[in-house]
Amino acid sequence: MKRRIYNILFHTHTISGIIISVALYVIFFAGSLSFFRDEIANWEQNSHTQFTDHLPADIDAYLKTISETHPLQGREVEFTHYYNEPSFTVNISASADSLVTKKLQQPSFFYLNANDYTTSAYLDNYGLGEFLYRLHFLDQIPYPYGRYLSGFVALFFLFALFTGIWIHWDKVVSNFYTFRPLAKLKTVWTDAHTALGLIGFPFQFVYALTGAFFLLKGILMLPLVYGLYGGDQNKLYEDLEYTHPHFDYTYTPLNYSPKINPLIEKTLADWPDFQLTEVHIFNHGDANMHVSLSGNTTYSKKFSGYGYRIYKVADQSITHQKVPKTNNTYLDGAKTILYRLHLGDYGGLALRFISFILGLISCVVIISGILIWLVARNKKNIPEKRRRFNHWVANSYMAICLSMLPVTALTFIVTKIYGVERSLIFKTYFISWLFLSLFFTFKRNINFTNKWCLVTGGILSLVVPFTNWLSTGNWPWISVTNQYTEILFIDLLFLGIGLIASWVGIFKIKFQFKIINT
């Protein structure tokens, strides 16, 4: 590669990386923990999910419970199971019957607990798992700006990945095996950045690509909407199969109570290994009542096995269907593969744990990139004023990024002691994050920030499982006996994080290594 081209790529890689580094670290750190969103939700609620990856089969019992508080005549009712936790979502539309009272014309959305049939609103069901999941695409920033920001961060990250691989291409093999921990500081960080960057490149590429697609698809599809659909966005969604079909309301009520369970049993008998994730009821109680059952085959049988079947309830005939193992289209495969790759849920807990480790490795790559950028600009030929500014930038970046560990552990402790509440999570997390970020920024010692974020984060992480054990009595042997795998996993996860972070912070980081004197 010519020297000029190399310099251009190197500088564009550096600038694009340093601009997005803080937001990218937040996305990867929160996203890594988001792989265990369901386990965190069960840990918070001190519960265990009996069913995973599918809806419970007894929909009729849930409909009966809902009808006691929500008259269902003429309404659309949708049960959806997004996450492996005791509750699933219920979405009820306004009634199609124009003669009903205003109460029936109001839509409703809530969570229904599959174990005790209790209902809760979204905010009542909000927990740390949901908070971290939304933080990983900056959704706490008002919609849609946070999502667009994280989407453009993913897009720039994709650019930084390719320029990074390009500038290291000639020595990609040798650099992969090069690590010199006893060399000077810049060399250590450069080796770590290069080696870990090469190891994590496939993982980072997948998440940069899928993240940019999910968060920017609204912008990316605008030319398509106006060019091919004349601005009709709904028509585009129909072609992409993001909408449900329409069935007319006939104002002719059924003379019996409709049953959904037999239709589910028939579908599951016809399609072995099918996991039901959504039940959508059209025109409940009307002669033209239909039921849509949709889901996926188990990933061990087929990776992209989306399917659905729509029944007309009056005669139990099948009006539409997509057989999951035979009728899948390219569109089905594309949508399913992108989601599965991003969520990393197709290989069970083992794959999600590997993705978690790779996510933390990506955080190390980001941190090492910031330190390389700083050390390269801490030279005598650079004016003192500029050197101090560079140090302030890197110092504030490191303070914001590294303080996420103790802040996250502290929030877990607080929610376990005082209960899960959205306002409490926000106040604890963001106020403590702001305080620590300002404290370490004004301390102006990156090594101090690194050491004490690891030490405090490690100690607080060790406190997390003990807080759970003392407050709930679910000690590890109790969790094993009761098969509370989700609760046990989160306890052991923070125990491991605490031990490693404390050991590194106490024994491996010494104060004499200072990047710059201020």
Side-chain angles (χ1 to χ4, degrees), residues 200-217:
F201 175 80
F203 170 85
Q204 294 159 10
F205 170 74
V206 166
Y207 280 87
L209 179 64
T210 55
F213 170 77
F214 291 138
L215 296 165
L216 298 179
K217 62 183 178 183

Side-chain angles (χ1 to χ4, degrees), residues 321-367:
Q321 75 171 357
K322 175 175 287 186
V323 181
K325 289 189 177 181
T326 59
N327 286 16
N328 290 133
T329 63
Y330 174 81
L331 177 63
D332 297 325
K335 291 192 297 184
T336 302
I337 289 172
L338 286 173
Y339 274 103
R340 298 284 73 83
L341 287 176
H342 193 82
L343 297 177
D345 59 355
Y346 53 89
L349 184 60
L351 178 61
R352 287 189 284 131
F353 184 75
I354 293 173
S355 299
F356 168 76
I357 298 299
L358 290 172
L360 295 185
I361 287 176
S362 301
C363 291
V364 175
V365 172
I366 296 166
I367 290 297

Side-chain angles (χ1 to χ4, degrees), residues 34-39 52-54 81-84 133 203 207 275 277 296-300 303 335-353 355:
S34 296
F35 284 117
F36 311 124
R37 180 207 176 280
D38 302 338
E39 285 77 12
T52 57
D53 296 326
H54 62 86
H81 184 244
Y82 291 119
Y83 308 113
N84 296 329
Y133 168 72
F203 170 85
Y207 280 87
Q275 295 179 319
T277 58
N296 297 275
T297 57
T298 55
Y299 301 126
S300 60
F303 184 72
K335 291 192 297 184
T336 302
I337 289 172
L338 286 173
Y339 274 103
R340 298 284 73 83
L341 287 176
H342 193 82
L343 297 177
D345 59 355
Y346 53 89
L349 184 60
L351 178 61
R352 287 189 284 131
F353 184 75
S355 299

